[in-house]
Amino acid sequence: MNIAIIGYGKMGREIERTAIDRGHKIVAKVGREGIAAHSLTGVDVAIEFTEPTAVMDNIRTLLGMGLPTVCVTTGWFDRVQELEDAAHQAPLVYASNFSLGVNILFQITQELAALMAPYSDYKVGIEEVHHTAKKDAPSGTAITLAQGILPAYPALHGWALSQNAGPDQLPINAVRQDPVPGTHTVSYSSSVDELSLHHIAHPRAGFALGAVIAAEKAVHIPPGIHPFADLLFAR
């Protein structure tokens, strides 16, 4: 499979290593010069990891070329529906987190919320911890976790950062400190005990592996917008 990497920084280089290890070829590496400076002839799939300010134009350009696209960039998901027309030309795969473990966490979180919701003594909350260079807070992963919990709690009206959360909102505590691995915790606390789900991300390789697996799947699916979890857990 011939892959174009759009955004050749630290993560782009990790994606390159992982893709080569899995038998693929990197035929284009697009940096700050932008997509227009490169020929993407012969590319089977593009993996995009740039900035929230650039991602919409990048995706439209890639889909307009008919290229299946995996978008690893976060911080833009409130605009995903704006890409419906462009995605008629090629598939777009996106996720707030491409770690396989985190996507399993998303599924377990939904199931646990349904089990815990009848027990009002337990108060649910989310905490995410990242390095200080991370620009979005809360993380896209924390928001996805919240979206998996809220349907089970009709009395909660959305989520909010913990310092601003009202009694009818799901609190997300966003912590920024160095050095620290990306960490997400969903907890249910009562006066007698606490139950938590905990995920710690170690090397970037875990995210790169998920992105390359998504690319492998993207070349075999129809046009449209596809959440990564739907491809992983299709039954």
Side-chain angles (χ1 to χ4, degrees):
M1 190 168 67
N2 293 335
I3 299 174
I5 297 176
I6 314 301
Y8 194 63
K10 291 179 180 178
M11 187 64 180
R13 289 189 285 274
E14 192 66 57
I15 290 169
E16 178 181 31
R17 284 190 287 270
T18 301
I20 291 171
D21 286 347
R22 292 176 69 87
H24 305 302
K25 294 181 180 179
I26 307 302
V27 296
K29 305 171 189 177
V30 178
R32 294 184 181 277
E33 69 279 6
I35 296 171
H38 291 260
S39 169
L40 300 187
T41 302
V43 171
D44 297 313
V45 61
I47 300 177
E48 199 274 359
F49 185 62
T50 59
E51 297 282 342
T53 54
V55 65
M56 297 293 286
D57 287 343
N58 286 341
I59 292 174
R60 286 193 178 99
T61 298
L62 295 166
L63 295 178
M65 295 176 177
L67 280 178
T69 299
V70 174
C71 183
V72 187
T73 305
T74 61
W76 63 278
F77 301 127
D78 57 335
R79 301 183 63 190
V80 67
Q81 297 308 315
E82 296 177 29
L83 296 169
E84 284 186 349
D85 288 343
H88 289 154
Q89 301 172 77
L92 168 65
V93 180
Y94 77 100
S96 59
N97 193 312
F98 277 87
S99 159
L100 300 183
V102 164
N103 279 274
I104 292 169
L105 176 65
F106 291 155
Q107 298 297 308
I108 296 172
T109 295
Q110 292 180 34
E111 295 174 15
L112 182 59
L115 292 172
M116 297 298 295
Y119 302 99
S120 59
D121 287 347
Y122 287 89
K123 304 304 179 186
V124 60
I126 298 170
E127 180 175 86
E128 56 99 342
V129 183
H130 285 90
H131 54 79
T132 56
K134 185 168 178 60
K135 297 178 181 178
D136 52 326
S139 66
T141 300
I143 293 172
T144 302
L145 289 168
Q147 291 169 341
I149 292 168
L150 287 168
Y153 287 84
L156 292 178
H157 301 294
W159 59 266
L161 287 169
S162 56
Q163 62 268 33
N164 303 320
D168 61 345
Q169 292 177 299
L170 173 60
I172 302 177
N173 187 29
V175 179
R176 297 291 176 266
Q177 63 187 48
D178 289 318
V180 66
T183 303
H184 291 86
T185 304
V186 177
S187 61
Y188 291 85
S189 300
S190 75
S191 60
V192 294
D193 60 8
E194 179 175 323
L195 174 64
S196 63
L197 300 173
H198 194 58
H199 181 273
I200 301 174
H202 294 302
R204 288 186 179 89
F207 303 103
L209 175 60
V212 175
I213 288 173
E216 292 167 351
K217 293 179 179 294
V219 297
H220 299 295
I221 58 177
I225 298 173
H226 303 269
F228 181 43
D230 288 357
L231 305 184
L232 278 180
F233 304 114
R235 293 185 173 91

